[in-house]
Amino acid sequence: LWVSLVKLLCLGHNFDNGPLTGVRKTLVTGAMRFCMRSFTVIAALRISQKKLDYDYSKYLGPDYKSTQKDQRESTIACNHMSWLDAPIMYLCFGTSFCPMAGLKKVPLFGTIAQALNCIFIPRGGKEEVR
């Protein structure tokens, strides 16, 4: 149901001209958060976050916090271990993903990935493609 709503909200948008913006973007991200939350409830998972403050001055210097970027502008790299990784990462960090380029052609999931501003990466194939 919610996935169909995302498809409906993206109707008529040309992703070649740019990502979703404004009210459409807000509605799509809200629908996706609800959908991802539903996946975790169905899977009987409870997600909790704890903010930890570590002192990295030994490694990065005494004034590293003044040059540190905001976490929302960071890159998170992780291995894909299960089908629940994407919903959990999306709920905790509001991330965008890097799916394989073939997902762009899948009717429903391709639209959702484009609505979430995913970066499509060609995987496999010839050496020069990689």
Side-chain angles (χ1 to χ4, degrees):
L1 175 70
W2 291 102
V3 178
S4 300
L5 176 64
V6 171
K7 181 81 172 169
L8 183 66
L9 288 171
C10 295
L11 195 66
H13 182 74
N14 186 1
F15 287 101
D16 295 332
N17 295 336
L20 286 175
T21 55
V23 175
R24 273 186 165 182
K25 176 74 174 176
T26 304
L27 291 173
V28 166
T29 54
M32 287 310 299
R33 285 191 69 77
F34 183 81
C35 186
M36 300 294 185
R37 177 73 63 196
S38 300
F39 284 149
T40 56
V41 168
I42 291 169
L45 291 177
R46 191 183 70 141
I47 300 171
S48 63
Q49 285 182 291
K50 183 188 219 182
K51 185 168 175 124
L52 301 174
D53 188 25
Y54 291 109
D55 183 22
Y56 292 108
S57 58
K58 177 180 175 182
Y59 308 106
L60 302 174
D63 61 343
Y64 78 95
K65 285 197 176 191
S66 62
T67 59
Q68 188 177 16
K69 280 188 162 186
D70 187 17
Q71 180 185 1
R72 289 170 279 163
E73 298 176 9
S74 300
T75 301
I76 300 169
C78 64
N79 287 336
H80 184 47
M81 301 299 288
S82 75
W83 62 274
L84 286 171
D85 290 349
I88 292 170
M89 292 296 286
Y90 188 78
L91 287 172
C92 290
F93 302 108
T95 57
S96 185
F97 303 97
C98 297
M100 61 183 176
L103 186 70
K104 198 174 196 176
K105 297 176 186 173
V106 176
L108 191 58
F109 295 109
T111 304
I112 292 170
Q114 287 177 329
L116 295 176
N117 298 335
C118 291
I119 301 168
F120 295 95
I121 298 176
R123 297 183 185 163
K126 299 179 182 175
E127 189 65 36
E128 52 276 354
V129 173
R130 281 188 247 157

